[in-house]
Amino acid sequence: MKAVLYARVSSREQEEGFSIAAQLKLIKEYAVKNKLKTMNEFIDIETAKQTGRSNFNSMIDFLRDNPEVKNILCEKTDRLYRNFKDYLTIENLDLRIHLVKENEVLSKESKSHQKFIHGIKILMAKNYVDNLSEEAKKGMLQKAHEGYYPSFAPLGYLNIENELNGRKIKIIGIDPSKSHLIKKIFKLYSTGVYSLQKISHFANEEGLRSRKGHKIHKSAIYKMLKNPIYYGDFKWNNKIYKGKHSAIISKELFDKVQKIFFSKYNKSQKIQKHNFAFTGLLTCAKCGCAITAEIQKEKYVYYHCTSYKGKCGNQFIREEILTEKLGELVKKIRIEPKIINWLKEALLMSHKDEQEYHNSQIKSLQVQYNKLQHRLDKIYIDKLDEIVTTEYYQEKTNEWKDEQSKILNNIERHKEANTNYFEQGLRILELVQKAYSAYLEQDNAGKRNLLNILLSNCTLNDGNLYPTYRKPFDLLTNGLSRSNWSGREDLNLRPLDPEPSALPNCATPRKPQLNYIIIN
């Protein structure tokens, strides 16, 4: 059988740690053992959180151009994808995915429970990168609270490194090559004579360029003139913070510019009086337009087609009836309680490999931390013995302590991820188990949030709903039950046990084997 090989790490640091080499060695040994002929290799050194990886896309193009190649070999799920769009791209190609470390082969013929478990793994992989993103956002928010702009410097400023309380921190400082032009732009607009287009033309004539070297358009001028960072404050997460950076213009000049904006662009806007819970969730089955809502007789809410493409004849539906019908869609997602317990046990067993990974990373980081501590102890003795100068001692001490701080943060992230992996799996299972009761207990806004988790799309046709469930919940609309767990000879499995009354010459049913559910 013909196959392609795919390996991935998130950063150059991981590549230098021989992670790619280890993946390739494992996968190639698997290919030889299973008589798979590798036709091409694809390696990415970037995150899989979002779509658009260069060599992943090249692999997809290769598979489309070579339909006889039906197999992808990869170390494990989160190396291949951490988002559902990439998963669906591969699924639509009708391929066999060999997850070598997980000892699993997935295809369209796979059992529903295998697809469900695989879907959970993708959700957990996505949750892991989301947690890392949240930690980064927390750090940036803390930096904002301290008065330091936590992102790329805007035009007129530069990102520079500064020392604060023994640690190095990136701040913004005035860019002398551009700051005078920024100030000139504010002064020109404050006269009320120049339009954004004219100022944009002036900026480009003077050689002002964006951070990536592009010409300045009037939209960029608009954002610049609205940005409080130039008088000393800055906006982060829709909140204004008092900055510790140097100002390019005065607050008076900034306020004068805002008055010009107000006089030119102040127009009355419609105020939306009602926020309907289910708008944006439904589309019209007849014409494909969105489903909107309106209030009749000042108390009844009706949902109907926007008729953007013309009258299509689709019927109105009252919000109360729509709420009940949406609840029925939630009710269809279920797993038998006994299966829930076995899945939890399978998750716990499979968590061991994930624990080994994070524990090995923590151990490696601890070695790095101890090595730095040894350096600190040694350089302190060298300072006492006057082998090194006080300045050099202070410089290296600050540098190594900063590295130690980063290592400790990484250790904490791995510890947290170790816990989150298993807890996320349990939360998904508990959501499935309690979805309908949770739906009934929520207000309309809560119902909408739950539906967003479960549904990717839903069409309305003359009062009837036709849902498209998100993965892995699409596998559970008829319930994950005994029929989904039938045994297969190639996996040495047994089917779930029938009820005791159906067992001839046997007092009690046997517990099913779970050795075939492997999650990393």
Side-chain angles (χ1 to χ4, degrees):
M1 295 187 293
K2 296 179 180 180
V4 295
L5 181 154
Y6 183 80
R8 183 191 66 81
V9 290
S10 298
S11 65
R12 288 286 175 188
E13 289 77 11
Q14 288 181 326
E15 181 196 20
E16 292 167 3
F18 305 106
S19 178
I20 287 287
Q23 290 180 51
L24 293 176
K25 182 176 182 294
L26 179 69
I27 297 169
K28 287 179 179 179
E29 289 174 353
Y30 174 89
V32 172
K33 182 179 178 181
N34 291 274
K35 298 180 181 179
L36 289 159
K37 184 179 180 181
T38 304
M39 305 302 294
N40 211 335
E41 296 181 6
F42 299 90
I43 298 171
D44 273 316
I45 304 172
E46 53 185 303
T47 180
K49 179 181 179 181
Q50 297 175 338
T51 58
R53 286 169 284 156
S54 54
N55 286 322
F56 179 89
N57 291 342
S58 298
M59 177 180 70
I60 297 300
D61 291 339
F62 178 84
L63 291 168
R64 285 173 176 154
D65 294 339
N66 298 272
E68 73 278 6
V69 182
K70 289 292 185 182
N71 298 273
I72 297 177
L73 311 183
C74 189
E75 183 194 35
K76 57 180 183 174
T77 302
D78 59 7
R79 296 295 185 192
L80 190 57
Y81 33 48
R82 288 183 182 269
N83 66 84
F84 275 109
K85 188 172 181 180
D86 286 343
Y87 171 42
L88 293 173
T89 298
I90 290 178
E91 188 181 53
N92 290 335
L93 293 177
D94 190 18
L95 302 166
R96 287 184 292 275
I97 303 171
H98 299 251
L99 302 169
V100 177
K101 198 170 183 181
E102 298 174 21
N103 193 27
E104 186 155 31
V105 180
L106 286 163
S107 67
K108 285 191 174 181
E109 289 72 37
S110 295
K111 296 284 186 179
S112 60
H113 70 269
Q114 288 177 295
K115 293 181 180 178
F116 173 62
I117 292 294
H118 189 62
I120 288 179
K121 286 188 282 185
I122 299 171
L123 283 177
M124 289 189 288
K126 184 178 185 303
N127 180 70
Y128 175 72
V129 292
D130 287 346
N131 280 337
L132 293 181
S133 176
E134 286 173 12
E135 290 301 314
K137 288 177 182 177
K138 286 179 186 177
M140 296 171 86
L141 184 59
Q142 179 58 37
K143 195 174 177 182
H145 281 302
E146 294 176 6
Y148 300 101
Y149 187 63
S151 188
F152 292 110
L155 276 177
Y157 287 96
L158 295 170
N159 286 109
I160 58 177
E161 202 169 69
N162 195 21
E163 192 168 300
L164 177 68
N165 298 327
R167 64 188 175 100
K168 290 182 180 178
I169 183 173
K170 284 189 176 181
I171 62 172
I172 60 171
I174 290 178
D175 181 354
S177 67
K178 296 178 180 177
S179 58
H180 67 286
L181 279 173
I182 304 299
K183 191 171 184 177
K184 182 70 173 177
I185 287 170
F186 273 91
K187 284 184 175 180
L188 287 174
Y189 195 79
S190 70
T191 64
V193 176
Y194 297 92
S195 66
L196 293 175
Q197 187 64 49
K198 286 182 178 179
I199 292 179
S200 172
H201 180 74
F202 162 78
N204 288 313
E205 286 291 313
E206 291 295 318
L208 188 62
R209 294 292 182 268
S210 70
R211 186 163 52 88
K212 293 184 178 180
H214 300 148
K215 285 189 173 183
I216 305 298
H217 297 286
K218 68 177 185 178
S219 59
I221 297 295
Y222 176 84
K223 290 178 182 178
M224 180 191 299
L225 294 171
K226 285 284 188 178
N227 196 340
I229 200 166
Y230 294 106
Y231 72 80
D233 290 352
F234 64 89
K235 183 181 285 187
W236 191 255
N237 287 351
N238 295 318
K239 184 178 178 181
I240 297 293
Y241 292 90
K242 183 66 180 175
K244 292 183 178 180
H245 60 279
S246 299
I248 292 178
I249 63 169
S250 65
K251 180 68 163 59
E252 290 74 19
L253 179 57
F254 182 82
D255 289 340
K256 191 174 181 180
V257 166
Q258 306 318 303
K259 287 179 181 178
I260 298 296
F261 271 121
F262 184 82
S263 62
K264 284 187 175 182
Y265 300 106
N266 183 36
K267 295 178 181 179
S268 59
Q269 297 179 352
K270 289 184 178 181
I271 300 175
Q272 188 174 351
K273 295 182 179 180
H274 303 287
N275 185 19
F276 299 107
F278 305 120
T279 53
L281 182 68
L282 307 170
T283 55
C284 176
K286 293 183 182 292
C287 67
C289 292
I291 297 295
T292 188
E294 63 179 75
I295 294 180
Q296 296 286 344
K297 298 182 180 180
E298 298 184 354
K299 62 178 180 178
Y300 300 114
V301 178
Y302 287 87
Y303 286 79
H304 61 87
C305 177
T306 59
S307 300
Y308 180 76
K309 298 177 182 178
K311 295 286 184 180
C312 65
N314 208 345
Q315 297 178 6
F316 286 69
I317 184 171
R318 279 269 296 271
E319 186 170 68
E320 296 84 353
I321 298 173
L322 178 61
T323 302
E324 290 180 13
K325 288 181 177 289
L326 288 168
E328 290 300 314
L329 302 186
V330 176
K331 196 174 184 179
K332 288 182 179 180
I333 299 175
R334 61 185 180 83
I335 305 178
E336 290 185 10
K338 184 183 288 188
I339 304 296
I340 284 280
N341 293 332
W342 288 333
L343 284 172
K344 285 180 179 179
E345 185 178 340
L347 278 173
L348 184 60
M349 291 168 61
S350 69
H351 188 208
K352 291 179 181 178
D353 186 70
E354 190 72 12
Q355 283 180 315
E356 287 176 7
Y357 166 72
H358 289 296
N359 289 339
S360 67
Q361 293 297 104
I362 291 169
K363 187 177 179 180
S364 175
L365 289 167
Q366 191 64 55
V367 169
Q368 295 176 40
Y369 183 91
N370 294 339
K371 186 183 292 184
L372 289 168
Q373 188 60 48
H374 177 71
R375 290 181 187 174
L376 289 167
D377 295 340
K378 187 175 183 301
I379 201 171
Y380 178 71
I381 300 297
D382 289 344
K383 175 181 172 290
L384 293 178
D385 293 340
E386 298 183 349
I387 297 173
V388 298
T389 64
T390 301
E391 291 76 13
Y392 182 78
Y393 165 78
Q394 196 62 52
E395 177 189 344
K396 302 309 290 185
T397 298
N398 291 339
E399 178 186 334
W400 294 336
K401 283 185 176 179
D402 186 52
E403 287 183 35
Q404 282 186 321
S405 177
K406 292 177 182 177
I407 288 171
L408 289 176
N409 287 336
N410 284 333
I411 288 174
E412 288 304 312
R413 281 205 295 268
H414 278 289
K415 287 180 179 178
E416 185 178 349
N418 219 346
T419 303
N420 285 340
Y421 180 90
F422 181 59
E423 289 181 350
Q424 174 73 0
L426 291 182
R427 281 198 294 271
I428 293 169
L429 294 177
E430 288 167 1
L431 170 63
V432 172
Q433 198 174 20
K434 302 175 182 178
Y436 184 61
S437 60
Y439 179 86
L440 296 177
E441 294 169 2
Q442 301 288 327
D443 58 15
N444 279 353
K447 287 181 170 67
R448 168 60 183 266
N449 289 336
L450 180 59
L451 290 165
N452 279 336
I453 295 172
L454 301 177
L455 300 178
S456 64
N457 187 36
C458 190
T459 57
L460 175 68
N461 188 19
D462 293 335
N464 296 315
L465 298 179
Y466 301 89
T468 302
Y469 291 91
R470 294 188 189 275
K471 294 181 178 298
F473 304 110
D474 59 331
L475 300 168
L476 305 177
T477 52
N478 294 317
L480 190 59
S481 61
R482 287 177 169 80
S483 61
N484 301 116
W485 293 72
S486 58
R488 284 171 49 186
E489 292 182 3
D490 58 325
L491 291 175
N492 191 26
L493 306 178
R494 294 176 300 193
L496 287 186
D497 307 296
E499 297 299 327
S501 59
L503 287 169
N505 304 320
C506 189
T508 57
R510 297 171 301 177
K511 189 175 181 181
Q513 295 180 5
L514 289 168
N515 61 324
Y516 66 104
I517 302 178
I518 302 171
I519 309 174
N520 286 309

